[in-house]
Amino acid sequence: MNRVLTALLLLASISFCVSAQTKPKTVGAAPAASIARGALVYKQYCLACHQIDGGGVPNMNPPLSKTTWISGDKTRLIKVVLNGFPAPVDIDGESYTNVMAPHNFLKDQDIADVLTYVRNSFGNKGSAITAASVKAVRAKNK
Amino acid sequence: MKTKLIKYIVPAVLIAASVSLYAIKSNVGPVADKDNAGLKLPEGFGALVVAETGAQPRHIVVTPQGNIYVKMFRVRNGSKGIYYYKTDAAGKGTLSKSFGDYPGTGMNLKDDYLYASSNTEVFRYKIDANKEVLDADHPERIITGLKTGQHESKSIVFDNLDDIYVNIGVNSNSCQVKDRQFASMGIPGCPLLDSAAGIWRFKINKPNQTYKDGIRYATGLRNVVGLDWNQQNNQLFVMQHGRDQLHSIFPDMYTEKQSAELPAECMYALKQGDNAGWPYMYYDQIQHKKIMAPEYGGDSKKEAVGNFIDPVAAYPGHMAPDGLLFYTGNMFPEKYKNGAFIAFHGSWNRAPEPQKGYFLVFQPFKNGKPFGDWEVFADGFSAMTTDIKSPNEAVHRPCGLAQGPDGSLYVTDDHHGTIYRIIYTKK
């Protein structure tokens, strides 16, 4: 049931994106297919902590809406998913006590998709992250 | 004439005076807010906002004078870690002073001292006959060097001797090799248990105690925030926060729905040496069984092996019990006497299922044991009329509990910063 709903929602948002993109203006606008796949990765691996609305959990897990990490340097963002946060780091001046595990077991394409999804959800607007960039960051990561 | 005056007028004046005095007196006492501070309560109860702290109040104590000490979770931009409110006859609080530069949760009062904890230490402050702190800048440090991390609260409670009990939550979800990682297995012979995931006992009056001066009173408790001493049994009761993420770590063993409901949030009655089983097991309140953790060979059905105690009561998963209080007051109706109030801070780990908790529960007791079903006592903290999908939607989240000298129940909200007082208003 949940799956069906998500699929329907995704279809709706895809068709919205597609129709909104009939006249592509922004260079490197995020492809709808990647966003759609990323939503599924998000649900399986991120939603438990960052929540359905990307709002996070007060004091525990940071929000994924309009943080400097989401909109900032892509390499840094890719490394968050690859390495997690072994030690607490303040996120935009707030501290969060929970631990984010490394998600380096995800494939390059999955990481690209989930970050592209996050960068275009929860009020964020950002360009796509490609599997090739994830591959490059992973190669140089430690 | 003179005798007449004495005979009739003086007594009349005296009667009138005492009547009006009586009238004033019967108006004295806490007054419920018009909307009961937004809370939904059983019939006959009312609630008022004592104070909007503008901070994150965690645990709280009320002095015999009816004044309030409350511990703040965070200190930022020079704000202090302990607030002291004086209350007026109607129950409204005014900030009288704030002190202490450390964050934390624990706050308690015994005899001539106020006790407060940071996330790694416990301090005490000498108080005078009015329970006012004498030297706020120079507390005595009684415990130091405790472990902290993702479960940082150090709640504190006393027995009737000179012992203080401190919970030390563990910096881990389930002692996986890679904490909270998909499919990561448990570390054999979980090494974290030596200095966390339990209740430690120290002396109330010895300075600078460290692990070696205390004893590990009970183990296998992942994280306890709400605890209280039960005077009927002369025994420590604690509320455990059960482990998270059964589905996201082991998706082929647990559905999202099962993972939202499991494991139970458990109430334990502890004796020295008890082991509640974390990380090797969890309690399944639907099967009524101690189940082997999937990190340690479990499959959601296999029962745990080991000498682990049973909970005395079990509640739905992830609701986060942050406050426990045995009610010993005389204000509330008889059924509440010696029963337990539990403040459920509210879940986050039920997503994508609706969240749960964000309320106060009453657990009836008989002869020092839970007796009968728990019930929601105070709801409406979240101010939501629909399901809570994400914790951020909730306006208030209940955390600490205290009983006032008149039997009122005080509740803190560490999200919006409100301090509530619940009273029984029916005559």
Side-chain angles (χ1 to χ4, degrees):
Chain A
M1 182 59 209
N2 248 335
R3 287 267 156 84
V4 177
L5 252 179
T6 336
L8 279 177
L9 277 175
L10 284 180
L11 272 179
S13 60
I14 290 167
S15 51
F16 174 78
C17 288
V18 169
S19 61
Q21 279 177 16
T22 38
K23 274 188 249 154
K25 275 178 255 163
T26 27
V27 190
S34 174
I35 294 177
R37 288 192 306 266
L40 297 176
V41 180
Y42 183 81
K43 187 161 184 278
Q44 180 63 48
Y45 296 104
C46 322
L47 186 150
C49 294
H50 292 291
Q51 302 293 308
I52 207 157
D53 59 352
V57 180
N59 306 311
M60 293 195 71
N61 304 315
L64 297 182
S65 49
K66 301 184 176 155
T67 72
T68 52
W69 293 74
I70 307 290
S71 56
D73 179 45
K74 287 185 182 178
T75 302
R76 183 173 78 156
L77 183 58
I78 293 167
K79 280 190 176 166
V80 166
V81 178
L82 286 174
N83 303 332
F85 283 93
V89 170
D90 276 10
I91 307 293
D92 296 343
E94 284 288 331
S95 63
Y96 297 92
T97 52
N98 206 356
V99 166
M100 178 167 162
H103 285 68
N104 51 359
F105 57 87
L106 292 175
K107 294 195 200 78
D108 292 342
Q109 188 64 54
D110 289 342
I111 294 177
D113 290 342
V114 75
L115 289 177
T116 302
Y117 167 76
V118 166
R119 280 164 60 86
N120 289 281
S121 306
F122 320 132
N124 304 318
K125 198 90 209 112
S127 55
I129 286 184
T130 61
S133 334
V134 176
K135 188 168 186 217
V137 173
R138 198 197 291 266
K140 275 193 265 166
N141 189 29
K142 280 178 218 152
Chain B
M1 181 64 210
K2 216 174 172 186
T3 44
K4 230 182 184 175
L5 192 115
I6 290 169
K7 220 170 167 185
Y8 299 106
I9 300 183
V10 170
V13 166
L14 275 177
I15 286 169
S18 61
V19 165
S20 56
L21 257 179
Y22 180 80
I24 291 170
K25 207 170 167 212
S26 67
N27 277 337
V28 169
V31 185
D33 291 352
K34 260 204 269 14
D35 62 345
N36 284 334
L39 301 187
K40 286 203 278 298
L41 299 162
E43 144 108 57
F45 287 88
L48 57 135
V49 169
V50 177
E52 293 292 357
T53 63
Q56 292 178 272
R58 297 278 285 176
H59 285 180
I60 176 172
V61 280
V62 184
T63 69
Q65 292 72 20
N67 299 320
I68 295 167
Y69 287 102
V70 60
K71 187 75 197 68
M72 298 303 177
F73 194 45
R74 296 265 164 89
V75 291
R76 40 161 76 91
N77 309 325
S79 78
K80 298 293 179 181
I82 301 168
Y83 285 21
Y84 177 53
Y85 285 90
K86 291 204 164 177
T87 55
D88 65 17
K92 295 292 174 185
T94 312
L95 185 63
S96 161
K97 78 173 173 199
S98 64
F99 54 98
D101 291 321
Y102 48 94
T105 291
M107 184 97 278
N108 220 325
L109 195 66
K110 184 174 170 151
D111 302 331
D112 300 330
Y113 288 91
L114 174 75
Y115 294 77
S117 70
S118 71
N119 295 328
T120 54
E121 299 186 306
V122 181
F123 301 90
R124 67 174 190 168
Y125 299 80
K126 187 115 173 87
I127 49 183
D128 67 16
N130 290 319
K131 308 292 178 194
E132 306 246 346
V133 165
L134 289 168
D135 186 353
D137 295 330
H138 301 97
E140 192 183 324
R141 184 170 63 192
I142 58 167
I143 306 167
T144 184
L146 303 181
K147 292 251 170 92
T148 186
Q150 62 190 273
H151 299 125
E152 72 272 64
S153 302
K154 300 291 179 291
S155 309
I156 47 182
V157 74
F158 315 105
D159 58 19
N160 292 308
L161 305 168
D162 57 357
D163 300 311
I164 181 169
Y165 297 76
V166 186
N167 73 286
I168 305 179
V170 66
N171 186 25
S172 172
N173 174 38
S174 51
C175 211
Q176 290 170 285
V177 173
K178 288 238 165 72
D179 190 20
R180 294 181 185 268
Q181 191 174 86
F182 169 73
S184 174
M185 297 306 279
I187 308 172
C190 181
L192 306 177
L193 290 162
D194 68 339
S195 53
I199 305 289
W200 265 255
R201 188 175 77 190
F202 296 93
K203 289 292 166 202
I204 54 172
N205 47 14
K206 236 179 98 184
N208 293 316
Q209 298 165 89
T210 58
Y211 279 105
K212 66 176 177 8
D213 303 297
I215 63 155
R216 191 179 72 178
Y217 186 75
T219 187
L221 291 155
R222 175 177 175 273
N223 184 31
V224 165
V225 186
L227 41 61
D228 198 12
W229 193 264
N230 183 302
Q231 292 297 349
Q232 274 192 315
N233 293 2
N234 197 29
Q235 188 174 14
L236 178 62
F237 279 63
V238 302
M239 296 293 313
Q240 177 181 230
H241 286 219
R243 49 106 18 105
D244 299 325
Q245 290 183 268
L246 283 167
H247 168 76
S248 57
I249 300 172
F250 297 99
D252 43 355
M253 287 184 218
Y254 299 87
T255 64
E256 281 168 350
K257 271 213 157 62
Q258 287 172 313
S259 185
E261 221 39 61
L262 298 174
E265 302 287 54
C266 292
M267 177 188 280
Y268 290 102
L270 297 178
K271 295 188 307 295
Q272 185 169 346
D274 276 347
N275 185 345
W278 182 93
Y280 308 113
M281 57 146 274
Y282 63 81
Y283 188 75
D284 180 326
Q285 76 279 22
I286 297 160
Q287 301 183 64
H288 302 283
K289 281 180 185 161
K290 288 172 286 193
I291 299 294
M292 187 184 287
E295 287 84 352
Y296 288 90
D299 60 359
S300 82
K301 290 178 198 75
K302 250 189 253 172
E303 290 189 49
V305 280
N307 192 15
F308 306 129
I309 59 169
D310 277 308
V312 291
Y315 307 86
H318 312 297
M319 299 201 304
D322 277 0
L324 173 66
L325 178 108
F326 288 106
Y327 186 77
T328 56
N330 294 319
M331 179 193 264
F332 293 1
E334 187 57 29
K335 91 170 220 199
Y336 295 98
K337 190 93 179 212
N338 297 316
F341 286 103
I342 307 164
F344 283 103
H345 196 227
S347 69
W348 60 271
N349 201 238
R350 296 175 79 95
E353 294 292 305
Q355 303 296 350
K356 203 167 183 165
Y358 304 82
F359 50 43
L360 287 195
V361 154
F362 178 68
Q363 171 66 64
F365 264 62
K366 195 171 172 183
N367 302 325
K369 285 206 176 70
F371 182 81
D373 290 339
W374 57 277
E375 59 199 46
V376 174
F377 174 75
D379 206 349
F381 290 94
S382 72
M384 292 282 290
T385 50
T386 53
D387 279 349
I388 301 170
K389 294 295 265 178
S390 170
N392 275 294
E393 297 170 352
V395 179
H396 304 272
R397 302 183 73 180
C399 177
L401 296 173
Q403 186 182 305
D406 66 347
S408 299
L409 179 64
Y410 290 76
V411 188
T412 63
D413 142 39
D414 69 351
H415 190 45
H416 188 268
T418 308
I419 298 175
Y420 299 88
R421 177 173 177 181
I422 299 175
I423 53 179
Y424 189 64
T425 52
K426 206 150 137 187
K427 293 281 141 45

